[in-house]
Amino acid sequence: MNHKEQWIWLPDDKYKSEQTTVFSGFESDKAEIYTVAEFKRKYSFAQKIIKADMRFSGDSAFQLYLNGSVVSTGPACVGGDFIGNERRRENFYAFEATVYPEAEELDFFARVKLVPVQIYEYSKGHGGFMLSAVLTFENGEQEEIITDESWFVRKNGAFTSASSYDGRILPDEYVNAQVIENIWNTETAPIPVRVENELICDNSIISVFPFEKKTAVLTFDKIWAGFVKVVAKADGEISVLLKCRELNEEARVENVIFCADGEYRGFLMQSAGNIEVEIENKSGNVAELTVSFIETHYPVSDEASTVTGDAELNSVLETCKHTLRICRQTHHLDSPRHCEPMACTGDYYIESLMTLFSFGDMRLAE
């Protein structure tokens, strides 16, 4: 199916400093401004849409929602090693996916991060978002929609860095998006969008009394790769520190501040066997937080297991299978923790190798 590829971004007359970026996470410290743009567009039709064949991408990372549900995160990695990412890559990928809305409205929302941070992230050097969809209606007629100036966009300054969100900073007002030059000319990714599963623990819902400090540890059955998520019911300032660990190594931390009801979903791919959550309620009202982990991996259509007469060996083999599933999401990773530029050398790399076989059944680490 042919799709028209048209890219949009924040208008350059209002956001001159939020247009271009570095090519690689190795150079993220040189990027001028960490920027997250949010796009939205609602389409209404006279009859029900039974199918939407979609094609989409974003630079350097995106979260795409339709009618309130996540369609995809991405884009797919260009492939190869991370060495050489300081130059502009020749190719860039778009995903294709089919959804079945069974509705007369399509309400799109996308969050796009400009600056590449982790080593599998890469950029063509400019922010952008692209989506096209061929809609099939219940009477069999079809219509194509694309990203254009009718889409709205705003900068959400609450995303102050790759690991920090400050809800005290309100997002800008929405303005019409700007159509920009297509420097991507994407290839369709030869792999489907990743699947997601929200991991909820028995203690994921945390109530915090006025001016109370509270700590909770969410422990998972395995070490998973994915993204942290926090939903807050709050009337006042709440500070949340999220410490993601595979076992008991130094944590990778995300800082989140809410000042009202809200939701935070991180852009950093984390590796988590447990998450330590430190909460401080700085308000005079009771707050409730739901902390979860969105584990993600490319879909698996066929599985096989090797079974021996040794129960411990069987456990190791199942661990290896789980490890392969979560470590092939970008390029080959010995651990999802091995996503940061600093992780390529020294003790951090050794640590990732040492925890490799703890990815599955946590009893292997005992």
Side-chain angles (χ1 to χ4, degrees), residues 13-24:
D13 60 346
K14 183 176 176 66
Y15 295 97
K16 294 186 182 299
S17 300
E18 291 86 353
Q19 299 295 313
T20 61
T21 187
V22 295
F23 301 135
S24 164

Side-chain angles (χ1 to χ4, degrees), residues 264-285:
Y264 169 78
R265 177 187 169 120
F267 270 104
L268 285 177
M269 179 174 284
Q270 297 279 14
S271 182
N274 63 83
I275 303 176
E276 183 179 348
V277 186
E278 296 181 4
I279 306 168
E280 182 177 1
N281 186 350
K282 299 180 180 180
S283 77
N285 302 289

